[in-house]
């Protein structure tokens, strides 16, 4: 009898440990079993935007699907305001932020970044004929680029600049605690780049500042505006997971290595007319 109780106790302990282990495992990889929950903001063509049927599409969305497949997970996209994306991952409501997201020191305080997958920069959008568009770097030398940046920043001083809420464009204009000094201009925040451009067209703001590739999409789609060729910042995009979730971080990095090596990432970029610059 005693022996039987002993065996039952040992079994119960083993089973309890298994459950504890499974619970731990689940917590560190994702918020929902079998699902990769992705936070994004679908107003950032070509990285994420809504197709004609209102479904999220774009480079990041294709990468999300490829990563989920690689990890044996179902991909669930949550489209939200951009300034909620990082917080939703930091607070554990979503697993991963995939949103043309620039790696910044400020964000590193609340999330961990995967390897980077694209280089980007802020650029100015102005009304056609605006003098700021005449400023170009005389060559690719650092000196000429810096002098063009200085001229642009002088022209932006004291102006009202439309930016998307929560972006590095916003931080570049107004300054933040870790990454940007600010340029002495007023940032006027909008929910999307398109709304910022509308404000530019109706004269509410003097310029718009946004990432270069989305800027080229906006300029192609909306009449009367053009993008400056002067690159104001050097930024890298990466995905972000909850701080300390190294298990998911490692899985994503490993899956990315594989998708870069087998050409999947480059195929996705070229589908949208771009090159990732990875894998050469
Ligand atoms: N790269 C900029 C940032 O990280 C802008 C990203 C905006 N992304 C978006 N999906 N709306 O702040």
């Amino acid at each position: 009898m005693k022996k039987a109780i002993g065996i039952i106790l040992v079994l119960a302990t083993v089973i309890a440990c298994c459950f504890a282990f499974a619970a731990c495992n689940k917590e560190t990889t994702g918020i929902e079993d079998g699902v990769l929950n992705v936070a994004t903001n679908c107003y950032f063509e070509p990285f994420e935007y809504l197709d004609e049927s209102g479904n999220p599409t774009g480079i990041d969305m294709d990468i999300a699907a490829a990563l989920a497949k690689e990890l044996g997970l179902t991909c669930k996209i949550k489209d939200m305001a951009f300034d909620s994306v990082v917080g939703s991952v930091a607070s554990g409501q979503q697993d991963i932020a995939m949103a043309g997201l620039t790696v910044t020191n400020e964000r590193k305080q609340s999330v961990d970044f995967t390897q980077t997958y694209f280089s980007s920069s802020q650029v100015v959008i102005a009304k056609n004929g605006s003098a700021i568009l005449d400023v170009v770097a005389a060559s690719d030398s650092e000196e000429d680029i810096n002098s063009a940046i200085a001229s642009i920043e002088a022209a932006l001083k004291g102006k009202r600049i439309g930016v998307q809420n929560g972006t590095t464009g916003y931080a570049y204009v107004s300054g933040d605690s870790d990454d940007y000094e600010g340029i002495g201009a007023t940032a006027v925040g909008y929910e999307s780049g398109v709304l910022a451009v509308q404000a530019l067209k109706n004269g509410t703001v003097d310029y718009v500042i946004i990432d270069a590739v989305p800027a080229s999409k906006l300029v192609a789609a909306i009449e009367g505006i053009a993008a400056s060729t002067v690159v104001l910042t050097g930024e890298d995009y990466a995905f972000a997971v909850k701080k300390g979730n190294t298990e998911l971080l490692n899985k994503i990095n490993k899956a990315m290595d594989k998708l870069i090596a087998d050409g999947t990432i480059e195929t996705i970029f070229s589908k949208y007319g771009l090159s990732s610059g990875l894998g050469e």
Side-chain angles (χ1 to χ4, degrees), residues 41 43-44 48 82 99-102 107 164 167-168 211 237:
N41 166 261
Y43 291 95
F44 203 61
E48 41 271 331
F82 181 73
L101 192 67
T102 301
R107 289 171 182 160
Q164 186 179 24
T167 59
T168 45
D211 300 46
Y237 293 169

Side-chain angles (χ1 to χ4, degrees), residues 39-45 47-49 60 79-83 85-86 98-104 107 113 120-122 164-171 180 191-193 210-211 214 235-237:
T40 196
N41 166 261
C42 288
Y43 291 95
F44 203 61
E45 192 178 350
F47 289 91
E48 41 271 331
Y49 57 104
D60 288 334
D79 183 16
M80 61 182 79
F82 181 73
D83 55 359
V85 168
V86 170
M98 301 184 72
L101 192 67
T102 301
V103 178
T104 68
R107 289 171 182 160
F113 284 99
S120 173
S121 166
Q122 298 302 307
Q164 186 179 24
N165 287 324
T167 59
T168 45
Y170 197 122
Y180 299 96
E191 278 294 293
S192 70
I210 191 166
D211 300 46
E235 303 180 30
D236 287 304
Y237 293 169

Side-chain angles (χ1 to χ4, degrees), residues 22-50:
C24 263
N25 237 0
K26 196 176 147 203
E27 207 183 319
T28 53
T29 48
I31 55 169
E32 199 181 333
D33 254 350
V35 179
L36 184 67
N37 278 284
V38 178
T40 196
N41 166 261
C42 288
Y43 291 95
F44 203 61
E45 192 178 350
F47 289 91
E48 41 271 331
Y49 57 104
L50 299 175

Side-chain angles (χ1 to χ4, degrees), residues 148-172:
I149 293 175
S151 309
I152 298 267
E153 288 183 348
L156 295 175
K157 216 156 231 118
K159 296 288 193 298
R160 289 168 60 80
I161 304 187
V163 283
Q164 186 179 24
N165 287 324
T167 59
T168 45
Y170 197 122
Y172 167 76

